[in-house]
Amino acid sequence: MNLSIVIPLLNEEESLVELHDWIVRVMQDNGFSYEILFIDDGSTDASWSVIDTLSNSNTNVKGIRFQRNFGKSQALHAGFKAASGEVVITMDADLQDNPEEIPELYAMVLNEGYDLVSGWKKKRYDSVLFKNMPSKLFNWAARRTSGVRLNDFNCGLKAYRKEVIKTIEVSGEMHRYIPVLAKSAGFSNIGEKVVQHQARKYGKTKFGMERFTNGFLDLITIWFVSKFGKQPMHLFGALGAIMFIIGFGLALYLGIDKLFINKTGRLITDRPQFYIALTSMVMGTQLFLAGFLGELLTRSRKNQTRYTISDETTNKL
Ligand code: UDP
Ligand code: MG
C-alpha cells in the first residue's frame, strides 16, 4: 500500500464527508493505493456515525473510536499503530489542510529520501493575535532548544516514512514536537514544504488558551529529556555532589570551630551557617538520589537503540 492517511478528530461531523471525498479524488487522480484512518478522539457529536457510514461503504476507510477524549497525540499514536502504508500522512479533519498537497509530500519521502516532511503554513488563515504571533515565538523556542530547523512544528499536515511512525512514541501533548522526537530517534533527514492553508470552515478550534502553557511545558520536557534524559547523573549527580560538599564543608568548619577554637562561643544552632549547611546537605543528597534513580530508569530502556545490520554482516553472524 502506498499511503496511509491518519486523521485525528474531535467533533468534526460537518467536515468528514467533504474531506473524505476530496482525499478520494486526489488518490484516484494519482492512482495511489491507500487507506484513510479516522481516529475519533471521543467525539460527542455525530462524527462516529459519519465514520461508520463511510467505512461501511468504502473498503479504504477505517475507523478507530476512543471511549473518551484522550487528546490529539494519543489519537495520532493509535493511527500510527494501525497504519500500513509505505508513507504515512497525518492531517487535521477540519478542512484546514489541503489534500492536494499529498502527492508531492509522498514524492518527497519516497524519492528524495526524507524521513519526515512537515507542512509549513506560510500564509495562515487563523487569528493573528491568538495564533500567529504566539506560534512564531513558540516555533522560535522549539528551534532553539531542539536544533531542528523547522518554521512550523505544529502543522497537522505531515508525511512520514513508515519506519519513523513505527518507532516513535507520541504521548502527552507531544504531537507538537514529533519532528524533535523523530530526530532523537535517529531520523535526521527532516524536510519542510510550504502548504496551502484554509480558514476553518465548520465548528471551532479544539485547543483553547491552554495550548500555550501546555505547549511550553512540553517544550521544557523535551529539551530536558533530550539534554539529560540519557545521563541524569550528569546533571543531578553533579549538582547534588556540589551542594553536599558545600554543606559538609560548612558543617565541618562549624564543628571544628566549636570543639577546638571558639569553645565558649555561640551554640552551633545559633549560627546561621548551621542552617545553610543543613539545607545544602539535605538538598544535595536528594538531588543525587534523583540522578541515581533516573539512571536506573534509563538503564532499563537502553536497549532501544535503532540499528541495521548489513547483509554481509548477517551472513557472517
Ligand atoms: N483534535 C483531536 N483531539 C483533541 C483536539 C483536537 O483529535 O483533543 C483534532 C481536531 O478535531 C482537528 C485537529 O486535531 O482535526 C486539529 O485541531 P484544531 O483544528 O482544533 O486545532 P487548530 O487548527 O486550531 O490548531
Ligand atoms: Mg484546525
Side-chain angles (χ1 to χ4, degrees):
M1 189 186 295
N2 300 135
L3 280 162
S4 292
I5 299 162
V6 172
I7 306 173
L9 63 111
L10 173 66
N11 299 333
E12 309 280 6
E13 56 181 3
E14 306 97 328
S15 315
L16 297 175
V17 172
E18 205 170 317
L19 178 67
H20 168 263
D21 294 349
W22 195 359
I23 294 174
V24 170
R25 214 177 320 133
V26 174
M27 294 296 115
Q28 286 173 348
D29 288 351
N30 290 274
F32 288 132
S33 55
Y34 67 99
E35 63 180 352
I36 304 177
L37 287 154
F38 285 109
I39 297 96
D40 181 354
D41 185 13
S43 296
T44 48
D45 65 356
S47 294
W48 181 250
S49 69
V50 177
I51 295 169
D52 215 23
T53 316
L54 282 173
S55 72
N56 283 337
S57 50
N58 291 285
T59 46
N60 293 334
V61 176
K62 297 167 189 172
I64 296 174
R65 185 187 200 180
F66 285 0
Q67 292 300 93
R68 65 168 174 85
N69 179 232
F70 282 98
K72 189 177 178 184
S73 294
Q74 271 68 21
L76 286 173
H77 192 70
F80 287 165
K81 271 201 179 144
S84 50
E86 278 315 304
V87 173
V88 176
I89 305 280
T90 59
M91 64 191 300
D92 292 351
D94 55 0
L95 295 166
Q96 290 198 272
D97 296 329
N98 190 330
E100 313 276 351
E101 303 283 355
I102 296 176
E104 198 165 325
L105 288 169
Y106 174 76
M108 284 176 83
V109 172
L110 206 69
N111 306 328
E112 293 176 38
Y114 285 108
D115 295 316
L116 188 171
V117 181
S118 181
W120 174 12
K121 298 164 293 202
K122 200 167 182 178
K123 183 145 181 43
R124 275 187 86 157
Y125 294 88
D126 282 317
S127 127
V128 175
L129 192 61
F130 291 113
K131 275 215 190 144
N132 298 7
M133 302 279 288
S135 139
K136 283 224 165 66
L137 175 69
F138 170 86
N139 282 306
W140 172 82
R143 268 196 303 278
R144 286 300 300 266
T145 48
S146 70
V148 178
R149 314 225 65 82
L150 288 180
N151 291 289
D152 189 2
F153 282 80
N154 194 17
C155 183
L157 183 56
K158 288 189 171 63
Y160 305 83
R161 182 186 305 288
K162 184 183 185 179
E163 202 193 350
V164 178
I165 54 111
K166 296 292 180 192
T167 307
I168 57 176
E169 296 262 336
V170 193
S171 58
E173 300 220 1
M174 295 300 183
H175 59 266
R176 298 188 181 89
Y177 307 102
I178 298 181
V180 186
L181 297 178
K183 190 188 167 200
S184 52
F187 300 101
S188 49
N189 205 347
I190 296 173
E192 193 166 42
K193 177 187 184 306
V194 175
V195 294
Q196 291 278 339
H197 185 242
Q198 283 88 231
R200 207 179 223 285
K201 199 164 169 186
Y202 307 103
K204 56 180 192 304
T205 177
K206 305 302 182 300
F207 297 101
M209 289 313 277
E210 77 278 1
R211 75 191 307 145
F212 302 119
T213 42
N214 292 348
F216 276 102
L217 286 175
D218 286 338
L219 185 63
I220 294 174
T221 311
I222 284 222
W223 173 71
F224 224 71
V225 169
S226 63
K227 207 156 166 62
F228 301 110
K230 287 189 214 82
Q231 293 100 15
M233 240 354 199
H234 287 195
L235 175 71
F236 295 103
L239 271 179
I242 291 171
M243 286 207 77
F244 187 87
I245 290 167
I246 291 173
F248 188 78
L250 212 54
L252 197 69
Y253 154 76
L254 289 171
I256 292 173
D257 188 56
K258 181 70 190 164
L259 284 175
F260 306 111
I261 303 166
N262 226 338
K263 289 182 198 162
T264 53
R266 281 185 294 169
L267 285 174
I268 287 183
T269 48
D270 282 344
R271 304 180 66 174
Q273 293 93 323
F274 171 72
Y275 295 96
I276 297 172
L278 202 64
T279 327
S280 296
M281 283 193 288
V282 172
M283 280 174 63
T285 316
Q286 296 215 331
L287 281 172
F288 197 86
L289 261 178
F292 182 63
L293 290 178
E295 201 68 36
L296 288 183
L297 281 178
T298 51
R299 215 147 283 259
S300 58
R301 284 196 271 139
K302 284 249 160 76
N303 290 333
Q304 287 184 344
T305 332
R306 265 182 359 94
Y307 55 84
T308 44
I309 299 173
S310 70
D311 293 343
E312 196 58 24
T313 313
T314 318
N315 293 337
K316 288 180 195 152
L317 287 175

